[in-house]
Amino acid sequence: MNPPYTPGEAAGALPASGAALSALSVDDERIKARAAAETRQDAVFHWSLFAAAGLVLLVLGAAAASMLWGGREAFATFGWHFIVSDEWDAVGHRFGAFVPIYGTLVSSAIAMIIAIPVSFGIALFLTEIAPTWLRGPIGSAIELLAGIPSIIYGMWGLFSFVPFMAANVLPWVDRNLGAIPWVGPLFRGPPLGIGMLTAGIVLGIMVIPFISSVMRDVFQTVPAALKESAYALGSTTWEVVWKVVLPYTRSAVVGGIFLGLGRALGETMAVTFVLGNAHQLSASLLMPGNSIAATIANEFTEADSDIYLSSLIALGFLLFIVTFVVLTIARLMLYNLARKEGR
Amino acid sequence: MLRATGFFYRRRRAVDLIAKTLGVAATGFGLFWLAWILVVTLSNGVHAISPAIFTQNTPPPGGEGGLANALFGSLMMSLLGVAIGAPLGIAAGTYLAEFAERHHTWRESVRFVNDILLSAPSIVLGLFVYTLAVRPVGHFSGWAGGIALALIVLPVVVRTTDETLRLVPNVMREAALSLGIPRWKVTMQVLYRAAAPGILTGVLLGLARISGETAPLLFTSLNNQFWAGSLNQPNSSVPVVVFQFAMSPYESWHALAWAGAFIVTVFVLVLSVATRAYLLRNRVEAAA
Amino acid sequence: MQSPAISRLQRLGAALTLAACAVIGQPALATDVTGAGSSFVYPLLSQWSSDYASATGTRINYTSIGSGAGIAQIKAATIDFGASDKPMPSDELAQFGLAQFPIIIGGVVPVVNIEGVGPGQLHLDGETLARIYLGTITHWNDPAIAALNPGLKLGADAISVVHRSDGSGTTFNFVNYLSKVSAEWRSRVGEGTYVQWPVGVGGKGNEGVAAYVKQIKNSIGYVELEYALKTNMSFTALKNHAGKFVEPGLESFGAAAASANWGQAKDFNLVITDAPGAEAWPISASVFVIVYRQPKDPARSKAALEFFRWALEKGQTRAKELNYVALPQPLVQSIEKYWASEIK
């Protein structure tokens, strides 16, 4: 009696005539059939998404496990000493991860100190200050920084930026900042050009487009009503951004910062060119150092013994651990902040 | 009426002015580095830019040639990486934002794990894919390269999709659900459209990142100085070619390396602008 | 009616599938040979491969991923041949069923940046070089250096030492030589592709070292010959095992290869640094190719060997153009005998 069900009908097509109206009888069977179909579709959808999320977990687990497996010889030979030892003797087969871990943390910290305020400033400019016709081009220009191959950052760093730093910036830093009482030792050193400070700056520049793009996008999702009410009360632009936009988008902004942090911790090519790959611990930011990714990139392809290879892979596994620790600390801080706000 | 002359008002205005100036300065700072890098890249590579770059394969030292095989390999493997990584990433991000409300621990664990994956050095992911997709098969291939790139794109897209979907106002979900629309349609036809700019940014950032990655490709797709023609064998790619040529003593190779880098950068820019223009063409920007 | 979005998706999916078929469809060419390893030999193999492909149509695809990685990949059988600056010992070769043979000679050249000193003007010997890199000789006017350079006026400037920051076969040959000529170096540092340098700053790759030496005054570094020649750097002359000062170049590298004792080396396991010849350059190096004795894919392995036969017999002019040194003829003959007996 009922004509075959077509989606078009039920999706709101108006009946053309009285005859058609009677054909649109909405009886229990049809509703039940449709509800069942949609429940199935929803279940399929839900489980596919669940599988995708599970895949992310699986990929990381497998990658970490494969690194752990590759590094087992190093961990078995050196034990806990591996993490705190600053030796790195490829000939004598004694390896320690402290210098690379230290370098990774310091260069990433410098990168974030540079990148976060700059990205925030760029997002502020693109969403509030710039005239509408300028936003597209400038936004694309900043994203261009993300599209530059990391090896070009390395090469530009080595051939252009390093000589510039060595000739112009680092002597100034050594003379002036090196004289400040407490933080002086951080800034004293020969103007080699390569080193933690240079690497941190290059990393910061690489990371800027990631953070600023995310910030810009989320700033634009703030409902106009919220901002308008703030303006109506007489707020300045800065106050609207700092007190309305930023708190509203805080979680996403933090997400963007984590995106940048992830890039900084794991960046390989740019850092290998400008960090110097020196397995020496030094308080000064002007001295060459090493990072986990740079050590692996510089030495993996020429490693000539099994324990050497295993130590390098163990370093890769340790980076997972370092990231785990850094992210846990960051999340605990955010959790405390949210608790204070009553969330 | 009251004039705006009070001390606090002036101070607020001053702070606003300083903030705006700093914002402009920050943008100038970012653009300064971009300009410097682009000028160096272009000046080093300009004499290698010619139509031959797109038509001839990588040459031996001193020979004439181009980057056709590298550009093609890069294009294929990047597209493969995005084709695998982006849908999976969007799916996982959607799950985290929409479908895991009652499973707090599971949801936060996946988010946490995703952030760790985000920070994994690309060389480590390359070695991982080598163990998975190269050793068992017995040879290097473009497929392995694409998978390695997908693993780099995946966490970026998950993060941005998750965050962007969470920012979509609940009003939209409620309105759609109240019409009796099944959840999958709500997500795909309402929420994705609302979150499109953010999700697109995530995919484009992922693509930008993999266009410049050398280390993972070195261990998965190796290199190929000839036209590969298929993904079943080692494939050339621009970042690997740039790496090998830049570290050589030959001027002609250096010029090709810089030119290749420039082309990749411009390609990513063009793609980014074009996709945004096309996919977001009907949107109206919210008034500031 | 279906919504336009879904049908657009379907069209996109169809287009992608079509493109995918185009890319997957072609099987790997049967005559494509894959090799990887030493970056030192990469320019030459790339040139030879291009010539060979024009001549015979077989494509030899070589990638420079480093000697260590080349050895690792051939052990894992993911490539058809590996190339390394450092020979593998015979027991390791036997364990994995591999064979190795040299294909070309090159060398490592110390370069300096001292005002007024041109190419070949500075004379050093192994012991002095080792002491500079150990940090026990710290200034250019040190008596040891002055003794070797009676006619040269060198200032009292401090020596800036530049070494490699990454692992490398070039480093291996350099420190292997230093270990042979200096007991102190051998005990304090040793030899390998990556060592704990007592002093100095590290540059990435030959490019990095060359850039540093050019930039830093009164510096010394070591690079492959091609880098020294192409960028007009001031290379030093070295006193060889026979006591003569020789300049680096194709003749002195060739003399080293010819005078080295290949006969005694099983599987050609010989590092030719500190060679005994009268005109030999002390830091010469050979590049070794490693293949399977009983390969899983005999056709490709055979194609690889055919390529190396062609290279050893006909590729010499090309090698010379690129400043590599061909193997001496007797060595080529013993290599071909080795192929016949060891490789199936």
Side-chain angles (χ1 to χ4, degrees):
Chain A
M1 178 184 113
N2 296 317
Y5 168 81
T6 53
E9 284 190 79
L14 291 170
S17 68
L21 192 59
S22 64
L24 265 187
S25 56
V26 185
D27 63 352
D28 282 345
E29 272 196 31
R30 281 248 295 260
I31 297 177
K32 278 196 213 139
R34 187 164 158 213
E38 284 176 358
T39 312
R40 270 197 308 273
Q41 291 161 0
D42 267 347
V44 165
F45 190 62
H46 186 139
W47 287 108
S48 333
L49 298 187
F50 179 79
L55 188 73
V56 171
L57 215 54
L58 189 69
V59 164
L60 180 80
S66 110
M67 289 295 116
L68 187 58
W69 179 250
R72 69 193 183 283
E73 193 181 333
F75 287 124
T77 317
F78 302 114
W80 286 108
H81 195 64
F82 188 62
I83 302 180
V84 292
S85 161
D86 64 351
E87 275 196 278
W88 192 268
D89 186 0
V91 177
H93 294 177
R94 283 189 310 276
F95 301 99
F98 191 68
V99 174
I101 293 177
Y102 175 76
T104 305
L105 291 173
V106 171
S107 57
S108 303
I110 298 174
M112 297 316 280
I113 290 174
I114 295 175
I116 295 177
V118 171
S119 304
F120 179 60
I122 294 176
L124 175 68
F125 177 80
L126 287 175
T127 52
E128 301 291 338
I129 306 173
T132 329
W133 54 270
L134 198 55
R135 291 182 190 182
I138 303 267
S140 301
I142 297 294
E143 281 189 5
L144 200 55
L145 275 175
I148 297 177
S150 53
I151 192 170
I152 294 299
Y153 275 103
M155 280 160 47
W156 161 81
L158 183 62
F159 297 128
S160 294
F161 189 52
V162 159
F164 171 76
M165 289 289 278
N168 303 338
V169 178
L170 294 180
W172 182 92
V173 170
D174 182 38
R175 271 198 314 275
N176 299 341
L177 298 179
I180 303 175
W182 283 95
V183 296
L186 272 183
F187 297 104
R188 248 176 260 146
L192 292 169
I194 54 169
M196 296 269 225
L197 187 62
T198 314
I201 296 175
V202 173
L203 268 183
I205 300 167
M206 288 185 84
V207 155
I208 285 173
F210 286 83
I211 306 179
S212 70
S213 301
V214 171
M215 277 188 184
R216 178 203 57 199
D217 276 344
V218 299
F219 282 4
Q220 283 172 339
T221 65
V222 177
L226 281 179
K227 292 188 349 194
E228 283 162 6
S229 14
Y231 281 125
L233 290 171
S235 305
T236 60
T237 314
W238 167 251
E239 284 165 354
V240 169
V241 168
W242 187 249
K243 297 190 181 161
V244 177
V245 173
L246 204 50
Y248 182 83
T249 57
R250 185 186 34 230
S251 164
V253 163
V254 165
I257 293 177
F258 279 2
L259 218 66
L261 179 65
R263 181 96 209 251
L265 285 172
E267 178 52 40
T268 312
M269 270 301 158
V271 178
T272 63
F273 280 80
V274 298
L275 190 49
N277 204 45
H279 282 276
Q280 300 151 1
L281 207 52
S282 162
S284 167
L285 294 177
L286 268 54
M287 292 298 285
N290 218 335
S291 83
I292 295 179
T295 308
I296 302 177
N298 269 322
E299 300 178 34
F300 191 80
T301 51
E302 288 289 353
D304 53 4
S305 59
D306 281 337
I307 183 70
Y308 194 1
L309 273 172
S310 179
S311 300
L312 289 170
I313 300 182
L315 266 186
F317 178 73
L318 281 178
L319 185 60
F320 282 128
I321 304 293
V322 165
T323 315
F324 182 86
V325 171
V326 168
L327 287 178
T328 313
I329 295 175
R331 274 177 179 253
L332 281 174
M333 276 169 31
L334 285 172
Y335 182 66
N336 273 331
L337 216 64
R339 251 199 358 192
K340 281 200 208 119
E341 291 181 0
R343 299 246 195 107
Chain B
M1 291 310 289
L2 284 167
R3 281 184 60 215
T5 52
F7 166 72
F8 290 107
Y9 182 72
R10 279 202 309 267
R11 192 176 72 174
R12 283 170 57 210
R13 286 242 310 246
V15 165
D16 184 52
L17 189 63
I18 293 173
K20 283 184 175 157
T21 315
L22 288 178
V24 175
T27 314
F29 181 78
L31 290 177
F32 162 71
W33 297 110
L34 176 73
W36 188 358
I37 298 176
L38 282 184
V39 162
V40 167
T41 310
L42 203 51
S43 63
N44 279 314
V46 71
H47 30 272
I49 295 187
S50 73
I53 274 204
F54 296 99
T55 53
Q56 295 183 32
N57 290 333
T58 46
E64 291 294 312
L67 293 172
N69 51 341
L71 289 168
F72 180 73
S74 259
L75 186 70
M76 283 294 116
M77 289 192 286
S78 296
L79 285 181
L80 184 63
V82 171
I84 298 176
L88 281 177
I90 295 176
T94 313
Y95 178 78
L96 292 175
E98 300 292 318
F99 287 84
E101 310 93 343
R102 275 168 290 167
H103 310 286
H104 178 87
T105 334
W106 165 247
R107 187 182 73 221
E108 292 306 315
S109 315
V110 176
R111 283 209 178 113
F112 192 65
V113 158
N114 185 61
D115 285 340
I116 298 182
L117 198 58
L118 200 55
S119 318
S122 48
I123 193 171
V124 162
L125 291 173
L127 290 175
F128 171 60
V129 175
Y130 167 77
T131 334
L132 272 188
V134 174
R135 275 194 86 138
V137 181
H139 64 90
F140 294 89
S141 66
W143 295 109
I147 295 173
L149 295 180
L151 288 186
I152 298 178
V153 168
L154 179 68
V156 176
V157 176
V158 169
R159 232 319 167 176
T160 43
T161 308
D162 181 17
E163 294 295 346
T164 320
L165 279 175
R166 272 158 57 181
L167 278 175
V168 174
N170 264 331
V171 189
M172 284 202 196
R173 290 185 187 89
E174 290 161 3
L177 287 170
S178 70
L179 288 173
I181 303 177
R183 275 194 91 170
W184 69 270
K185 270 196 195 167
V186 171
T187 313
M188 289 193 70
Q189 292 180 6
V190 177
L191 296 181
Y192 281 169
R193 289 216 185 127
I199 297 179
L200 190 59
T201 299
V203 173
L204 288 173
L205 280 179
L207 177 65
R209 179 152 183 201
I210 60 177
S211 303
E213 285 290 346
T214 314
L217 291 176
L218 213 48
F219 294 109
T220 47
S221 71
L222 211 60
N223 193 16
N224 199 331
Q225 62 187 92
F226 303 102
W227 183 265
S230 99
L231 286 175
N232 287 330
Q233 41 178 309
N235 256 274
S236 180
S237 56
V238 175
V240 170
V241 165
V242 166
F243 180 57
Q244 308 214 312
F245 281 12
M247 287 284 125
S248 74
Y250 306 104
E251 275 311 310
S252 60
W253 272 7
H254 287 174
L256 268 179
W258 290 100
F262 183 74
I263 292 177
V264 163
T265 314
V266 168
F267 170 72
V268 169
L269 172 73
V270 166
L271 195 65
S272 156
V273 169
T275 20
R276 281 222 171 85
Y278 176 69
L279 285 174
L280 306 178
R281 62 193 180 284
N282 292 325
R283 291 184 99 82
V284 177
E285 276 227 1
Chain C
M1 183 175 326
Q2 284 188 319
S3 79
I6 296 181
S7 73
R8 230 186 295 147
L9 211 60
Q10 285 179 336
R11 274 185 273 142
L12 185 62
L16 281 176
T17 319
L18 227 62
C21 289
V23 177
I24 305 170
Q26 308 175 37
L29 290 172
T31 46
D32 257 23
V33 175
T34 309
S38 155
S39 32
F40 169 61
V41 76
Y42 170 60
L44 180 60
L45 277 179
S46 149
Q47 180 68 68
W48 271 347
S49 162
S50 168
D51 295 339
Y52 192 66
S54 328
T56 66
T58 309
R59 308 189 333 174
I60 310 289
N61 172 23
Y62 182 77
T63 306
S64 113
I65 56 177
S67 306
I71 294 179
Q73 296 314 318
I74 189 68
K75 280 188 194 169
T78 51
I79 48 180
D80 301 312
F81 69 89
S84 164
D85 299 345
K86 191 178 160 188
M88 285 171 74
S90 290
D91 46 356
E92 206 180 337
L93 288 167
Q95 185 191 348
F96 288 91
L98 297 167
Q100 87 180 348
F101 53 91
I103 43 160
I104 203 72
I105 306 287
V108 182
V109 174
V111 286
V112 294
N113 178 355
I114 307 173
E115 186 134 359
V117 174
Q121 288 187 332
L122 185 66
H123 288 198
L124 291 174
D125 70 358
E127 179 68 37
T128 320
L129 193 57
R131 286 171 62 195
I132 292 177
Y133 271 84
L134 278 168
T136 49
I137 293 182
T138 50
H139 289 75
W140 282 117
N141 62 351
D142 191 284
I145 304 180
L148 295 166
N149 294 278
L152 207 53
K153 269 272 167 299
L154 293 164
D157 310 284
I159 305 180
S160 294
V161 172
V162 182
H163 54 75
R164 288 285 288 268
S165 66
D166 48 341
S168 151
T170 310
T171 298
F172 166 72
N173 283 296
F174 184 67
V175 298
N176 175 284
Y177 171 65
L178 293 182
S179 295
K180 280 183 180 165
V181 296
S182 162
E184 194 187 350
W185 181 272
R186 191 169 44 245
S187 61
R188 264 182 70 180
V189 185
E191 64 180 60
T193 51
Y194 184 85
V195 298
Q196 260 184 335
W197 300 95
V199 292
V201 70
K204 179 162 173 67
N206 283 296
E207 278 292 307
V209 172
Y212 267 134
V213 170
K214 273 191 282 192
Q215 209 179 298
I216 304 177
K217 289 210 203 329
N218 301 306
S219 58
I220 181 170
Y222 62 90
V223 294
E224 286 155 18
L225 180 67
E226 187 67 10
Y227 290 87
L229 295 179
K230 271 257 174 299
T231 52
N232 272 323
M233 300 180 81
S234 294
F235 50 79
T236 64
L238 280 180
K239 191 182 203 185
N240 64 12
H241 194 91
K244 186 156 182 253
F245 283 101
V246 285
E247 288 193 5
L250 302 182
E251 300 79 25
S252 52
F253 291 2
S259 67
N261 194 353
W262 291 103
Q264 295 291 62
K266 185 164 186 296
D267 292 310
F268 301 102
N269 180 7
L270 180 70
V271 184
I272 59 173
T273 54
D274 205 29
E279 299 290 331
W281 174 253
I283 326 181
S284 302
S286 352
V287 179
F288 299 88
V289 167
I290 305 163
V291 291
Y292 274 95
R293 285 177 204 266
Q294 288 173 324
K296 273 187 284 250
D297 189 334
R300 287 220 296 269
S301 195
K302 189 155 174 302
L305 282 180
E306 283 305 311
F307 167 67
F308 288 116
R309 184 187 302 273
W310 173 90
L312 285 175
E313 291 170 9
K314 300 213 188 70
Q316 304 319 314
T317 9
R318 269 301 191 196
K320 219 155 123 179
E321 277 172 29
L322 294 173
N323 286 312
Y324 292 85
V325 173
L327 301 179
Q329 211 32 43
L331 186 56
V332 176
Q333 280 159 357
S334 46
I335 293 175
E336 294 186 348
K337 264 201 292 259
Y338 179 80
W339 288 345
S341 63
E342 301 286 335
I343 303 173
K344 297 289 157 275

